[in-house]
Amino acid sequence: MITRYTVISLGVSQLICWGISYYLIAAFGVRIAEDLAWSESIVYGGFSAALVIMAFTSPLTGQLIDRFGGKVVMTAGSVLLALGCGGIALSYSTGVYYASWMLLGLAMRLCLYDAAFAALARIGGVHAKRPISQITLLGGLASTIFWPIGFFLAETFGWRAALLIYAGFALLTIPLHLSLPTGRFDDQAKAVGNNTVTSFSPATVTTKEQWIAASLYALVFTLLNFLNSAMSTHMITLLAGLGLTAALSVWVSTFRGIGQSLARVCEVLFGAHLHPTSLTILASMLLPLGFAIGLFSGQFLTAALLFAFLFGAGNGLMTITRGTLPLVLFDPNTYGTLVGKLLVPGFLLSAISPIVYTYIIHHFGEQTALIISTVLAFIIFALSLVLKSRYHPAAAKE
């Protein structure tokens, strides 16, 4: 059973873990490059290396959570987060720097959303849908809270001391992860007898249907990760290239976080009875719409604001469906193992996405980058339509 305390603990841990790992490079990257006299490509390459490690360790991480639960795996992630942040803080050579980032990549896979989702699925089975939505509320505020904290700490104490403080934040998440239940939902269901009612039953029964559903899921979230990584790196650059001032581009980009948080709040408040395939349609529909409107950002400020807001809202909701779709498509008992394998392509493409978009922007311009993004977002929407047509309960009855 997933208690309110478990949801709060995981929500707080996601806020901290995302803030001190995934969003670390944005807060300290420029300072590290200037202090060590390294090129920004070398400095930011550490983050790409971390994403590659996330990809290669994803299947094993999923298996470990299915077997041992989130308590063991995510606690180990907390320790590795502290070591990774400390390692970067003490880096004076590229070898130590990249080794620390690779350690941080393993840590991120052990304790960010996908690990938390798998842990909740193990504890709650098909009843993990609402808790998965709820923990993303705090996690979605990570950049909003930790970017200012990081900038303040670096300005006050220097980036090395700031990262050692980040290591201290990582250690604070250890008791949060140690509080996670060790039981499995299937065992709890047997303990109370056969009267346990589940919200959904797996939509894929045959091997063929499992393969089709897994392929569609992997394609959707591989393309989404590619776009999300590109926008995390280049949204401000895109807006500036379309004609907005640098300061205005930064301000407009904050609407991405606003859209993400508001969409997740709405889902938690009003989406209790919304099937994950239906939520995926709604979320993925916002993405091509946002990018298409973004093409007019240089002419209309409202278009720029809508672009950032709609992308944030769509991406925020898709994070939820990334966790809840496997609950209705597959057997929750193998959630971590299966999803861990399906996310590998997404992690790999997210590592090269910033480089690809840098090339596109430099050689073909910001408009072309947005057009390509619109096409990719529309493909995500089309694949989501196929998912719903095959695996929504109403479709199954026809």
Side-chain angles (χ1 to χ4, degrees), residues 62-69 122 184 333-338:
Q63 293 174 17
L64 290 174
I65 293 177
D66 279 344
R67 183 173 180 180
F68 300 108
R122 187 181 189 275
R184 184 190 294 273
N333 290 319
T334 58
Y335 182 109
T337 301
L338 181 58

Side-chain angles (χ1 to χ4, degrees), residues 237-242 295 360-361 364-371:
T237 303
L238 282 171
L239 292 172
L242 291 170
L295 291 168
I360 293 172
I361 292 170
F364 303 103
E366 289 78 12
Q367 286 279 355
T368 301
L370 280 177
I371 291 172

